[in-house]
Amino acid sequence: VVAAAGNDGASAYLVGGPSTADRALSVAAIDGSAPTFPGVGIAGTTLTGVNSNEGGPLPVTGTVRVLRDAGGAIGLGCLPGDYSAVVAGDIVVTVRGTCARADRAINGQAAGAAAVIMLNNSAGLPPFEGNIPGVTIPFVGMTADDEAAVVATDGTSITLETTSIANPTYRAAASFTSAGPRPGDSAPKPDIAGPGVALVSAGVGSGSGVTTSSGTSMSSPHTAGIAALVRQAHPSWKPVQIKAAMMNTADASALVDFDPRREGTGLVRAGAAIAARAIATTTRGRNSVTFGYEALRKVHHEEHSVALRNYSADPITYDVAANVVGDALGTVVSVRPTEVTVPAGGSAQFKAVLDVDPTAAAALPPADESILGDLVSMRGLIVATPRETAPGVGPLSVPFGLVPRGLSAVTASAGTDSISVRNKGLHAGNADFYAWQLSGAPGGAARFDLRAVGLQQLPGEAAGADPSDRVLVFAVSTFGRFDSAAEGEIDILVDINNDGIPDVVVVSIDEGLLTAGSFNGVALTFTIDLATGQQIGSAIPTTAAMNGSTLLLPTLASWIGADEFSYSVASFDLLTGDEDAIAGSSGLLSASWNVATTPVSTGDFVSLDPGGAVTVTVTTSSSQLKKTPVLGWMVVTSDDANGAAQADLVALSSVTE
């Protein structure tokens, strides 16, 4: 199976099925379109963009018309009705997201626009489109960085003129191509990369016409065609051998930004794969070495076998080495032996070896650096280089990857008006204090199975808000481990008038899914008025490390709209459909909070080196506890092991006065 890696972008764990299957060849997309683009400039400014469909003729002069959505933000322009205010000759401005990019050009021309400008919703320029059937006006793609300057021209007359611009992403990963590793076990995926930007193909229903399209849905059939040629050259080979030949012979040096986590072993090479007379394979048809996700608390040693198969009539001697791409993170990847001779028509093996000592594990970045789509990982290629080259005998590449985390072991225990925290782990850890208010039982959504919920209150200045405001942070502890918080949805359902009906939801969810209809792997916390469906305030990043089991959802008391409220909690796994809630016999359990009179102290935060210990004084208010019950304190440490260890629960009754 040759399958598209997906078009969800550079955040970790976004590579999608069926390309994630062991034996499937997962194909990423690179921009192989052209080193330069036909460009468009706005006269009298330094603003330039790509003339995505080479429309014209230029120059074009018109009044700028920025489309707006119901909330006043730049409109997507996905529907013909979005252009009802457009006057013939206008230059329309939209933003990328949700619908096909070309829909804006089609709708704009139908409305009489002289040109359509689409601002990108990610870094860099949008993909070059090529011919868009029925569209003759310029369809101009500009960067997200240009948004403010372009929007500032709304209502003024501008002239679009011809220029030429360099293609900044030529021979680099396409902005949309989905990144690995594979969800679940952090195995290396995608496997390989192919051209996937502005590819010309047969236009369905066009007779002899063509269409130009971008996506991993273009790079994967391109690669599938090469697989067919490899099968033709080697009719006795099984799919796993064909996959190996293509991965082994791909060219990493052809890519200017080579990263195995996005581009596998590199750019597919038809000639080299077809001519291959030797291949390297691993177990289960992966043709990659999976060191996976490792939570490290001691010396770690791991070995995997790689098999070399020689189909030629002469023995081949290889020098084998492991080459890390980027930061090795203090780990050591080696091979044993480093010299392998494979007999004619025979096979031989070597071992890929990973070693991580406690010093390296202790020095790993904190868990919270793997957040908002970023992932601390070590990856690279094992390359077997023949001593002598011959037709079909060249270097063979096998990708490897590791997602490491050094573990702290912060424990919290009750004392007299205090909680003592101690770190018995090898990695530094933080103790972050919350009022523990809700507890759940195991058995709901496996990865987002709700274990406990706490609430922390901080001064408004902590989030750059008015000093009279308060920052409220909901801490959610899960029984399971999620790859990315963006794979799930956490709903804090807030009732501000005590009628049992939620008025506001504080929700952690994938930003792209909520705002544009497709995942981008970045979990943000939104505060939403349930009566109107409108967002209150701005989105704030959810603090939730990759491969973790704790999420921190921040909001402001002013956004909730009441000093006193109750809340309940539910979760949804957006990939599996599993759901969970903290519920009792008669429905969702709820907790209450009063911003003006908090029942216990929260917000203490201490950092602990390995072996460190601190005693934190905590306070309670007997009168407020009668009105606002709490179970105790939740002490969150994102560098601790997943599950219960990551959020220690200290019962209120255990803290003596």
Side-chain angles (χ1 to χ4, degrees), residues 436-437 591-592 599 624-631:
W436 168 31
Q437 293 201 285
S592 61
Q624 295 308 318
L625 280 168
K626 294 177 181 178
K627 302 176 183 178
T628 310
V630 302
L631 300 173

Side-chain angles (χ1 to χ4, degrees), residues 305-408:
S305 295
V306 179
L308 295 171
R309 176 72 185 181
N310 179 6
Y311 296 98
S312 76
D314 299 299
I316 307 173
T317 297
Y318 290 96
D319 291 315
V320 188
N323 304 310
V324 174
V325 176
D327 191 346
L329 301 174
T331 66
V332 177
V333 182
S334 59
V335 295
R336 189 178 66 245
T338 58
E339 178 185 318
V340 181
T341 297
V342 190
S347 62
Q349 289 191 345
F350 65 87
K351 297 283 188 179
V353 182
L354 169 69
D355 287 291
V356 188
D357 64 29
T359 301
L364 286 168
D368 285 346
E369 284 197 18
S370 291
I371 195 171
L372 300 176
D374 292 331
L375 180 69
V376 173
S377 65
M378 185 274 295
R379 60 269 195 195
L381 297 178
I382 296 169
V383 181
T385 305
R387 292 274 178 88
E388 297 182 7
T389 59
V393 178
L396 304 176
S397 296
V398 176
F400 62 84
L402 168 72
V403 179
R405 202 176 96 196
L407 289 181
S408 59

Side-chain angles (χ1 to χ4, degrees), residues 558-594:
S558 62
W559 295 351
I560 287 177
D563 281 352
E564 191 170 358
F565 57 87
S566 61
Y567 67 92
S568 55
V569 184
S571 71
F572 305 88
D573 191 317
L574 300 173
L575 300 186
T576 67
D578 292 338
E579 56 186 67
D580 191 28
I582 295 182
S585 58
S586 59
L588 294 182
L589 292 180
S590 64
S592 61
W593 193 257
N594 191 319

Side-chain angles (χ1 to χ4, degrees), residues 125-395:
L125 291 167
F128 181 77
E129 305 291 344
N131 178 59
I132 301 173
V135 176
T136 57
I137 62 173
F139 180 42
V140 182
M142 301 186 77
T143 70
D145 292 339
D146 292 331
E147 177 179 323
V150 172
V151 170
T153 66
D154 192 16
T156 69
S157 179
I158 64 170
T159 297
L160 302 180
E161 55 189 12
T162 301
T163 186
S164 178
I165 60 173
N167 178 0
T169 61
Y170 183 58
R171 291 186 174 269
S175 61
F176 55 77
T177 196
S178 292
R182 177 171 72 177
D185 63 358
S186 296
K189 286 281 181 175
D191 299 309
I192 203 167
V197 174
L199 261 67
V200 177
S201 185
V204 176
S206 65
S208 60
V210 301
T211 186
T212 303
S213 187
S214 299
T216 54
S217 57
M218 299 302 288
S219 61
S220 56
H222 179 101
T223 305
I226 295 173
L229 295 174
V230 177
R231 178 61 184 270
Q232 184 179 41
H234 303 279
S236 64
W237 280 8
K238 296 179 180 179
V240 68
Q241 294 165 299
I242 296 170
K243 175 185 175 182
M246 296 174 70
M247 289 179 64
N248 296 161
T249 60
D251 186 3
S253 68
L255 304 177
V256 298
D257 64 340
F258 176 63
D259 183 346
R261 193 167 69 81
R262 294 199 75 190
E263 296 155 314
T265 54
L267 182 62
V268 63
R269 294 195 298 158
I274 291 166
R277 302 296 296 159
I279 59 172
T281 60
T282 68
T283 58
R284 301 175 63 177
R286 289 181 184 172
N287 294 332
S288 62
V289 173
T290 301
F291 295 123
Y293 165 70
E294 292 290 348
L296 303 167
R297 63 179 84 236
K298 59 183 180 180
V299 170
H300 183 77
H301 177 85
E302 191 173 342
E303 298 184 3
H304 295 274
S305 295
V306 179
L308 295 171
R309 176 72 185 181
N310 179 6
Y311 296 98
S312 76
D314 299 299
I316 307 173
T317 297
Y318 290 96
D319 291 315
V320 188
N323 304 310
V324 174
V325 176
D327 191 346
L329 301 174
T331 66
V332 177
V333 182
S334 59
V335 295
R336 189 178 66 245
T338 58
E339 178 185 318
V340 181
T341 297
V342 190
S347 62
Q349 289 191 345
F350 65 87
K351 297 283 188 179
V353 182
L354 169 69
D355 287 291
V356 188
D357 64 29
T359 301
L364 286 168
D368 285 346
E369 284 197 18
S370 291
I371 195 171
L372 300 176
D374 292 331
L375 180 69
V376 173
S377 65
M378 185 274 295
R379 60 269 195 195
L381 297 178
I382 296 169
V383 181
T385 305
R387 292 274 178 88
E388 297 182 7
T389 59
V393 178

Side-chain angles (χ1 to χ4, degrees), residues 41 54 110 284 352 569 579 582 615 620 635 656:
E54 299 185 89
R284 301 175 63 177
V569 184
E579 56 186 67
I582 295 182
T615 297
T620 62
V635 182
T656 57

